[in-house]
Amino acid sequence: GINAEYGQYENVIHKQGSLVKKNFVLASGKRPGIFKRGWKRWDAELRGSKLTFSKAGKKVEIICHHCLASRTITHRNRHCVMMLVCADDRQFLIQAVDDTDMQEWMHAINKVAAMFSALPMAAPVSNSNQFQPHSLPMSRTKCSLEEQLQNHMAQVDKLTQEYDSLIRQQSNTAPPSFEWHYKKRYLEKEKEKFEEYAHLLNTLLYPDSEESLMSPQSFGRATANRMSYKRAVQKNVKPVNV
């Protein structure tokens, strides 16, 4: 069953090692205080969907649902730095030992997020006409890995349509509003996240690209063409309810 399918991943240590972490953005969107944003070395462990940082009896835990780890530009004199964006909008800068170690951490974190993240819920109801992002559930998905892949593919298709519609709505005469820019950035980041999730699950479930729903070589990056994805959609892939 589904529990047995996830059981082989839930209690497994996917990655562990030494990382240097910096608090970059709080959930409120503000920068941390000057004494809370320094670089600190931690012992890190990714077990199941939980990323734990430990040091001298202190622990910091991050549940990786709807997280996305990605390479960032070199931070001053530091190399091999990735950005970890969490579901609650917290952001961390994390430095790995070397480039290979960084790639392994990004792959492990994003794969776990792809496997365990439940479908986004409807945006909160509001009396205003302002754009409201979707709510991200903290509970683990109840879908199988195959259904997860189908859901991620459907999310990419939905977000792509919303993004294309937003671009068409922008007037050529009036300058874009702050809300338009905010929604555009939100859709870009969400599409990038679900493209990465779909790419990783597709690679996990279909190591042989000839049997996969999409081609890992042509899908899974924002800069890649979407032809293989469109072929997958033509197979009538539908989102699966959780």
Side-chain angles (χ1 to χ4, degrees), residues 8 20 30 36 46 48 52 55 66 68 83 85 99 106 108 153 156-157 163 175 185 219 222-223 225 240:
Q8 61 180 313
V20 183
K30 297 181 180 180
K36 295 184 178 180
L46 179 61
T52 303
K55 181 180 65 173
H66 288 282
L68 182 66
M83 172 76 77
V85 180
D99 191 71
M106 290 192 300
M153 292 169 62
V156 174
D157 189 49
Y163 181 84
R185 181 61 175 162
F219 181 84
T223 56
N225 69 71
V240 180

Side-chain angles (χ1 to χ4, degrees), residues 179-194:
E179 184 177 353
W180 185 89
H181 280 294
Y182 174 73
K183 184 176 182 180
K184 178 175 179 288
R185 181 61 175 162
Y186 168 80
L187 293 174
E188 287 173 343
K189 296 301 292 183
E190 285 295 287
K191 189 162 75 72
E192 177 188 359
K193 180 179 73 177
F194 281 105

Side-chain angles (χ1 to χ4, degrees), residues 61-227:
E61 295 183 344
I62 299 173
I63 305 300
C64 292
H65 73 105
H66 288 282
C67 281
L68 182 66
S70 57
R71 179 190 292 271
T72 186
I73 59 173
T74 302
H75 189 83
R76 295 183 180 178
N77 295 326
R78 293 182 180 270
H79 302 278
C80 307
V81 176
M82 59 182 172
M83 172 76 77
L84 177 62
V85 180
C86 301
D88 59 3
D89 294 329
R90 286 180 299 163
Q91 298 179 23
F92 301 94
L93 290 173
I94 301 175
Q95 183 181 26
V97 175
D98 53 32
D99 191 71
T100 299
D101 189 49
M102 181 186 66
Q103 294 287 352
E104 290 175 351
W105 275 109
M106 290 192 300
H107 181 272
I109 292 170
N110 292 336
K111 184 178 72 172
V112 164
M115 290 190 296
F116 290 99
S117 298
L119 275 175
M121 298 182 292
V125 177
S126 173
N127 293 328
S128 68
N129 293 323
Q130 293 183 343
F131 170 71
Q132 296 285 341
H134 292 286
S135 298
L136 302 177
M138 294 187 64
S139 59
R140 195 193 74 183
T141 182
K142 296 180 181 178
C143 295
S144 67
L145 292 177
E146 176 66 35
E147 292 168 341
Q148 275 289 88
L149 173 57
Q150 295 175 3
N151 286 339
H152 294 331
M153 292 169 62
Q155 280 295 118
V156 174
D157 189 49
K158 177 183 176 182
L159 291 164
T160 300
Q161 292 179 24
E162 289 186 37
Y163 181 84
D164 292 343
S165 175
L166 180 70
I167 298 301
R168 288 194 299 267
Q169 290 172 7
Q170 174 54 34
S171 170
N172 292 327
T173 56
S177 64
F178 171 83
E179 184 177 353
W180 185 89
H181 280 294
Y182 174 73
K183 184 176 182 180
K184 178 175 179 288
R185 181 61 175 162
Y186 168 80
L187 293 174
E188 287 173 343
K189 296 301 292 183
E190 285 295 287
K191 189 162 75 72
E192 177 188 359
K193 180 179 73 177
F194 281 105
E195 283 178 340
E196 180 69 8
Y197 287 0
H199 166 73
L200 291 172
L201 280 193
N202 180 75
T203 304
L204 176 66
L205 292 172
Y206 303 102
D208 182 359
S209 61
E210 293 182 357
E211 297 179 3
S212 66
L213 293 180
M214 65 190 80
S215 170
Q217 289 76 21
S218 59
F219 181 84
R221 298 293 184 273
T223 56
N225 69 71
R226 302 191 188 98
M227 291 307 297

